[in-house]
Amino acid sequence: MNMRLCAPCLFGLEGPLSNELKHMGMKDVMAENGRVRFTGTDLDVAKANIRSRFAERILVELGSFKALTFDELFEGTKKLEWESFIPRDGAFPVKGYSIDSELHSVPDCQKIIKKAVSVRLGAKYSERWLPETGATYQIQFSIMKNEVCLFLDTTGTGLHKRGYRPAQVAAPLRETLAAAMVDIAGYRGRGDFADPFCGSGTIAIEAALAAKGRAPGLLRSFSAQSWGSFGKNIWKNAAEEARAREFNGDYHIFASDIDEKAVKIAQENAKRAGVEEIIKFSVADAKEFSRKTEGGVIVTNPPYGERLLDIGAARELTAAFMRSAKRLPGWDIYIISSDEDLEHTVGMKAQKVRKLYNGMIKCGYYKFTNKPGVRK
């Protein structure tokens, strides 16, 4: 059965996520602000959950309609075929948001949607009271400019939770953002890759996973694995297909940090991810960063004032690192930073600047290059 599906993502990642879903063979892929819509089967749901590096979760879209009143919200919700997914004993909590709409009270909208689904399922199953003792079918709603969209969440815990990072140091990057930074930098496992501010190792680990073609969701479980409405073996088949896509190579991935404790945590995280053998970790000062090879890519997240250090100290550290990095011939340097004056700070004009979000912090993703013939 083909379903309308939706993959929410961090703002700025719509392009990489669209390309990823198309590469997986998904149909009708269409990017919107903060999400990508597509169509697929239950097997596609499993594939997207297991293999997506950039999506936050995978939702089944039950339907959409306009609602200016609670009566319209109730009736529109009740018309949808919830019984196609939710069984007699299924638990169906409700959460969501409302933006620029007449129905602005989220708690009231939750209650109305819950009641409408209960009435629909009660009638279908001839039950006056639904036990909700079975598997969870999380209902999500979005109301934007009075347009209601209703979804079932197949993922559970967000997809950025890969399962390899229970331990972390201060100011970690979300795994999905780190994966997108690696992708935008064009790293596919060839040449040298380095992160001189590695912290808990997220960027280097995501680079290693991408280099090996290893699906990021193989270490975890998903809500829809317990849904009876999905095929019995789809998750097993999707996982086997993902493992068959892996490959091995000669990789040169380097991760370092001045904090010895952070490096130890990064090594432990890499071991959990199964990529510790292809990342070379070291304790080193980024201000003295150097490499012997000519050419490579640096992807890094230096400390900045919102989370670590004060603004002045953060700028001084980043500038000192760039003084060292600028001496490396043929290297591309990608830095994510909330410092709007980063180019002035490092004394170098970026070739490209892309807007990304690290949590709720708006950042620029800056590309600098030392390649011959590129204007500095």
Side-chain angles (χ1 to χ4, degrees):
M1 177 182 70
N2 262 338
M3 297 171 282
R4 290 179 296 176
L5 303 170
C6 179
C9 63
L10 294 173
F11 286 106
L13 305 194
E14 298 90 349
L17 176 55
S18 294
N19 292 335
E20 177 183 60
L21 292 171
K22 289 175 183 176
H23 186 69
M24 286 186 204
M26 305 305 176
K27 306 298 183 184
D28 308 315
V29 177
M30 182 175 66
E32 301 176 355
N33 284 337
R35 61 189 181 187
V36 177
R37 281 193 160 101
F38 60 106
T39 59
T41 64
D42 52 1
L43 179 59
D44 291 324
V45 168
K47 286 169 58 176
N49 271 299
I50 291 170
R51 289 172 53 187
S52 179
R53 303 186 187 281
F54 315 127
E56 291 300 311
R57 56 187 65 250
I58 305 299
L59 308 174
V60 177
E61 184 174 348
L62 269 291
S64 60
F65 53 89
K66 190 173 184 178
L68 299 173
T69 68
F70 286 125
D71 284 342
E72 290 174 337
L73 178 62
F74 180 88
E75 294 300 330
T77 302
K78 194 176 73 166
K79 287 179 182 178
L80 302 179
E81 298 180 357
W82 299 98
E83 67 278 4
S84 296
F85 295 93
I86 305 176
R88 186 185 304 269
D89 65 344
F92 49 100
V94 180
K95 63 181 179 181
Y97 61 88
S98 177
I99 300 173
D100 296 332
S101 300
E102 292 294 320
L103 302 178
H104 53 80
S105 171
V106 170
D108 287 336
C109 291
Q110 287 176 291
K111 292 175 185 176
I112 295 297
I113 292 169
K114 179 77 174 182
K115 182 178 179 181
V117 177
S118 297
V119 170
R120 169 89 185 197
L121 294 178
K124 291 294 178 178
Y125 296 131
S126 301
E127 295 277 6
R128 294 182 62 186
W129 178 78
L130 297 167
E132 296 195 55
T133 54
T136 297
Y137 297 75
Q138 177 69 60
I139 296 173
Q140 291 205 9
F141 68 87
S142 69
I143 307 176
M144 298 183 67
K145 297 182 178 179
N146 302 314
E147 184 72 16
V148 180
C149 291
L150 289 164
F151 308 93
L152 286 174
D153 176 18
T154 71
T155 301
T157 303
L159 290 176
H160 67 279
K161 297 288 189 181
R162 315 290 208 209
Y164 65 72
R165 200 176 71 174
Q168 49 188 260
V169 296
L173 278 178
R174 186 169 286 201
E175 291 89 326
T176 43
L177 177 57
M181 289 165 58
V182 171
D183 183 75
I184 294 167
Y187 179 70
R188 303 291 186 272
R190 296 181 179 179
D192 279 20
F193 180 97
D195 177 8
F197 295 97
C198 76
S200 57
T202 309
I203 293 174
I205 292 169
E206 291 298 326
L209 291 172
K212 291 178 70 66
R214 177 167 297 166
L218 287 172
L219 298 179
R220 51 160 293 170
S221 60
F222 307 93
S223 288
Q225 285 178 278
S226 59
W227 293 9
S229 52
F230 278 16
K232 186 176 181 180
N233 294 317
I234 63 162
W235 297 94
K236 179 183 177 183
N237 294 340
E240 288 176 351
E241 180 185 339
R243 290 190 183 95
R245 298 175 65 87
E246 290 187 20
F247 41 84
N248 294 309
D250 182 20
Y251 306 115
H252 303 273
I253 302 173
F254 304 91
S256 57
D257 200 284
I258 198 170
D259 184 345
E260 185 176 354
K261 180 181 177 182
V263 172
K264 184 177 179 181
I265 291 173
Q267 289 175 310
E268 291 170 351
N269 289 341
K271 185 175 182 179
R272 275 186 286 267
V275 294
E276 76 278 11
E277 79 283 357
I278 65 169
I279 304 174
K280 295 180 176 65
F281 289 98
S282 63
V283 178
D285 189 344
K287 292 184 290 186
E288 300 173 2
F289 181 80
S290 66
R291 300 297 315 156
K292 293 182 179 179
T293 51
E294 185 171 324
V297 61
I298 295 168
V299 177
T300 196
N301 175 34
Y304 47 89
E306 279 84 351
R307 292 182 174 180
L308 293 174
L309 305 179
D310 58 55
I311 293 291
R315 286 176 171 169
E316 182 179 339
L317 176 59
T318 303
F321 156 66
M322 281 297 288
R323 284 194 293 271
S324 293
K326 282 191 286 189
R327 301 189 189 106
L328 304 178
W331 280 69
D332 287 330
I333 306 158
Y334 289 82
I335 297 177
I336 189 169
S337 176
S338 65
D339 184 359
E340 295 181 357
D341 294 321
L342 183 69
E343 291 169 305
H344 180 265
T345 296
V346 303
M348 192 173 181
K349 181 70 176 176
Q351 275 62 58
K352 292 182 182 179
V353 184
R354 186 167 183 155
K355 187 192 298 182
L356 296 176
Y357 282 81
N358 184 10
M360 297 302 294
I361 302 172
K362 184 173 75 172
C363 297
Y365 189 41
Y366 296 80
K367 177 187 178 182
F368 302 94
T369 189
N370 289 333
K371 292 181 178 178
V374 177
R375 185 179 176 183
K376 303 292 191 294

